[in-house]
């Protein structure tokens, strides 16, 4: 592994851990994304993770907080933009009609996007607003 790649892997590990410790499965290869989408049952929250400040200070804390709600997605997965490039690109192929955005969050069911939160709805918003955005989509689409 190139020293730069090793450095980025080490520096991003805590950012990955923040989601995996909350129950997210990390998809690091395109084949994993394909397998996930083809076998998706019920609702799923897909988080496109990022090293940027709005991911650290807003997106990841909001996602973790939203999962304390009674209604929530059954499946939790994440891809890491800029790190797992091929997996992220493949996931974005399934986000039909949606411009690439990181960080971002997609509530999906049966391979279809039900609700999408792009970077523009994360950056310059507070954690509570993002949590409310997520919870509203959970209330609409998720079972208890």
């Amino acid at each position: 592994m190139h020293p730069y790649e090793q450095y980025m892997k080490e520096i991003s590990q805590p950012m990955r851990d923040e989601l995996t410790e909350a129950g997210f499965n990390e998809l690091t290869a395109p084949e994993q994304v394909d397998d996930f989408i083809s076998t998706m049952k019920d609702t799923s929250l897909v988080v496109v993770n990022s090293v940027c400040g709005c991911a650290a200070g807003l997106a990841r804390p909001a996602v973790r907080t939203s999962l304390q709600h009674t209604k929530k997605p059954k499946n939790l997965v994440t891809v890491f933009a800029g790190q797992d490039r091929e997996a992220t690109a493949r996931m974005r192929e399934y986000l039909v009609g949606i411009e690439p955005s990181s960080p971002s969050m997609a509530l999906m069911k049966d391979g279809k996007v039900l609700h999408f939160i792009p970077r523009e709805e994360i950056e310059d918003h507070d954690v509570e607003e993002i949590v409310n955005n997520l919870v509203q989509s959970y209330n609409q689409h998720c079972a208890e």
Side-chain angles (χ1 to χ4, degrees), residues 20-141:
T20 57
E21 289 171 4
F24 281 80
N25 292 316
E26 213 173 14
L27 307 178
T28 59
E31 301 78 22
Q32 290 176 309
V33 173
D34 291 336
D35 288 345
F36 169 74
I37 295 291
S38 67
T39 61
M40 182 189 298
K41 299 282 185 252
D42 214 339
T43 52
S44 301
L45 182 62
V46 176
V47 174
V48 179
N49 202 353
S50 172
V51 296
C52 73
C54 65
L58 299 169
R60 290 190 301 270
V63 165
R64 290 173 58 106
T65 300
S66 76
L67 297 175
Q68 296 170 13
H69 189 62
T70 306
K71 287 186 176 183
K72 57 189 167 197
K74 297 292 181 204
N75 307 295
L76 306 171
V77 297
T78 181
V79 293
F80 206 114
Q83 301 293 307
D84 302 317
R85 289 183 175 94
E86 295 84 7
T88 303
R90 184 63 54 86
M91 183 60 77
R92 286 177 170 154
E93 290 175 19
Y94 291 105
L95 305 177
V96 179
I98 297 173
E99 289 293 317
S101 181
S102 59
S104 61
M105 304 156 207
L107 184 65
M108 300 180 76
K109 184 173 185 176
D110 301 327
K112 306 275 190 262
V113 177
L114 303 173
H115 185 72
F116 186 76
I117 302 175
R119 179 185 180 108
E120 294 76 33
E121 292 180 30
I122 297 169
E123 202 171 35
D124 299 325
H125 289 77
D126 62 37
V127 170
E128 186 175 297
E129 288 176 292
I130 303 162
V131 170
N132 289 337
N133 190 339
L134 286 165
V135 166
Q136 285 177 11
S137 70
Y138 300 167
N139 284 337
Q140 185 175 356
H141 302 288

